[in-house]
């Protein structure tokens, strides 16, 4: 006797079918993208009309946010494509790849900011405090709105979290520019600009590292954080009628979507339907596995590659 449980389209309803965690927050991500892109265009136009390098530079920083948000949106949209004969799990993993790209982008921006800060410590430039504050205040309002829109999704989706960190970085930058503008206007202390830049870089880098480490775990198909695979195997082995458990694998497709495969040895006198039901319930209910595939094997089954 041999049996299998899977999420295949065989006419049987085997478990919940949901979209990725990122897809559930596509609307607020879209609003944040449009707000940020609109303000970036306004800054570019204003910078060209006024000849302000500060405005154009800030627009370039906003451009990294637009790129990051756009990558997150594109990944969600592409991940909605149905699974096929060659993409048996669909394209959900694109959201994880988008998070990795966003992480690399954040690292690049953070290191560039730190590099510029070092240069400014050596030779602090003259900075116009009041124009700095006006530009930063408008940018801060846009970033606060986007930040609020993405906060909930960042807790559930790695892809949304990458976009969220982009916005957080820029929001902190706006706050830092406002503080720097006030200090420069009141005291003329030009080093504050570099000090604020270093503080922002130091704050963002460890969070970006954590984001990328999580994304790499998923790409390498390591068990989800906090998942005790050995404990799960012991619990499955304790199900009445189970004679053994082997080849248990649990991994993440994308945020909020864990999958598992396992071979269950069933005692000859056991009800395999009951065993299948209990094993599936443990994986889906206790370990939150959305796509479990379970192969049942009789106790006297011998895996013969020759087919005999």
């Amino acid at each position: 006797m041999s049996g299998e449980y899977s999420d295949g389209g065989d006419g049987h309803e085997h478990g919940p079918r949901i979209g990725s965690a990122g897809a559930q927050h596509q609307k607020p991500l879209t609003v944040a993208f449009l707000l940020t892109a609109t303000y970036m265009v306004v800054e570019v136009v204003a910078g060209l009309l006024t000849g302000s390098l500060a405005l154009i530079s800030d627009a370039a920083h906003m451009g990294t946010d637009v790129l990051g948000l756009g990558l997150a949106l594109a990944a969600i949209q592409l991940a909605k494509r149905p699974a096929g004969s060659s993409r048996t799990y669909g394209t959900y993993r694109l959201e994880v790849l988008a998070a990795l790209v966003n992480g690399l982008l954040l690292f690049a921006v953070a290191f560039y900011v730190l590099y510029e800060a070092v240069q400014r410590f050596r030779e602090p430039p003259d900075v116009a405090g009041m124009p700095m504050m006006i530009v930063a205040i408008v940018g801060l309002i846009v970033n606060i709105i986007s930040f609020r829109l993405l906060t909930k999704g960042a807790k559930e989706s790695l892809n949304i979290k990458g976009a969220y960190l982009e916005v957080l970085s820029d929001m902190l930058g706006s706050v830092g520019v406002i503080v720097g503008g006030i200090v420069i206007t009141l005291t003329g202390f030009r080093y504050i600009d570099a000090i604020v830049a270093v503080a922002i870089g130091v704050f963002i880098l460890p969070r970006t590292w954590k984001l990328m480490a999580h994304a790499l775990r998923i790409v390498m198909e390591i068990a989800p954080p906090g998942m005790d695979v050995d404990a799960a195997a012991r619990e499955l082995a304790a199900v009445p009628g189970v004679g053994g458990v082997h080849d248990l694998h649990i991994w993440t497709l994308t945020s909020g979507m864990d999958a598992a495969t396992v071979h269950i040895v069933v005692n000859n006198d056991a009800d395999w339907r009951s065993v299948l039901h209990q094993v599936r319930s443990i994986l889906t209910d206790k370990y939150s596995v959305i796509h479990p595939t379970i192969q049942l094997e009789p106790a006297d089954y011998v895996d013969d590659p020759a087919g005999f």
Side-chain angles (χ1 to χ4, degrees):
M1 173 202 69
S2 150
E4 181 176 326
Y5 165 79
S6 71
D7 284 325
D10 57 1
H12 300 284
E13 186 61 40
H14 294 304
R17 294 181 181 275
I18 62 171
S20 69
Q24 297 173 41
H25 300 282
Q26 184 173 355
K27 185 176 180 180
L29 181 61
T30 302
V31 174
F33 172 79
L34 293 174
L35 278 173
T36 307
T38 300
Y39 182 66
M40 180 194 71
V41 172
V42 170
E43 278 196 319
V44 170
V45 173
L48 292 174
L49 291 176
T50 62
S52 171
L53 183 60
L55 279 173
I56 296 175
S57 297
D58 196 58
H61 196 182
M62 294 290 282
T64 62
D65 291 353
V66 173
L67 179 59
L69 293 167
L71 280 170
L73 274 174
I76 289 174
Q77 197 60 39
L78 289 171
K80 291 181 178 180
R81 296 169 64 184
S85 58
S86 60
R87 297 188 303 271
T88 56
Y89 275 117
T91 51
Y92 293 116
R93 194 59 63 83
L94 285 172
E95 295 190 43
V96 180
L97 295 178
L100 277 173
V101 174
N102 264 328
L104 291 172
L105 187 61
L106 281 163
F107 266 124
V109 170
F111 279 118
Y112 175 75
V113 168
L114 291 174
Y115 171 78
E116 283 295 314
V118 171
Q119 303 306 311
R120 294 192 178 198
F121 273 123
R122 294 173 178 171
E123 191 175 343
D126 291 324
V127 181
M130 189 57 67
M132 277 176 59
M133 286 190 290
I134 294 173
V135 172
I137 288 171
V138 178
L140 179 61
I141 293 171
V142 172
N143 284 317
I144 287 175
I145 295 172
S146 298
F147 180 80
R148 293 291 299 273
L149 287 169
L150 300 178
T151 297
K152 183 179 179 181
K155 298 175 182 178
E156 302 174 8
S157 166
L158 197 66
N159 184 28
I160 302 292
K161 188 173 183 179
Y164 166 89
L165 285 175
E166 290 275 7
V167 173
L168 175 61
S169 172
D170 205 38
M171 186 173 72
L172 290 173
S174 296
V175 172
V177 172
I178 292 171
V179 171
I182 293 173
V183 172
I184 290 171
T185 301
L186 295 179
T187 68
F189 182 63
R190 294 182 295 171
Y191 288 101
I192 187 64
D193 187 55
I195 293 172
V196 168
V198 170
I200 294 169
V202 169
F203 180 83
I204 290 296
L205 281 175
R207 286 157 179 78
T208 303
W209 174 255
K210 185 176 180 181
L211 169 74
M212 293 194 68
H214 193 174
L216 285 171
R217 284 182 65 95
I218 294 177
V219 171
M220 295 178 67
E221 297 188 343
I222 297 173
M227 175 73 70
D228 190 336
V229 178
D230 291 335
R234 289 193 296 270
E235 192 165 348
L236 294 176
V239 170
V242 172
V245 175
H246 62 97
D247 292 325
L248 172 60
H249 304 279
I250 304 177
W251 71 98
T252 300
L253 294 174
T254 189
S255 299
M257 297 183 70
D258 291 341
T261 60
V262 63
H263 290 224
I264 301 292
V265 178
V266 182
N267 295 328
N268 292 330
D269 59 347
D271 179 358
W272 68 267
R273 293 176 180 82
S274 176
V275 170
L276 179 61
H277 175 73
Q278 291 182 71
V279 168
R280 183 171 83 85
S281 294
I282 290 172
L283 290 174
T284 58
D285 297 340
K286 182 169 182 179
Y287 291 96
S288 302
V289 172
I290 300 298
H291 294 280
T293 300
I294 304 162
Q295 178 169 313
L296 302 182
E297 301 169 355
D300 56 0
Y301 171 73
V302 176
D303 187 7
D304 186 350
F308 298 104

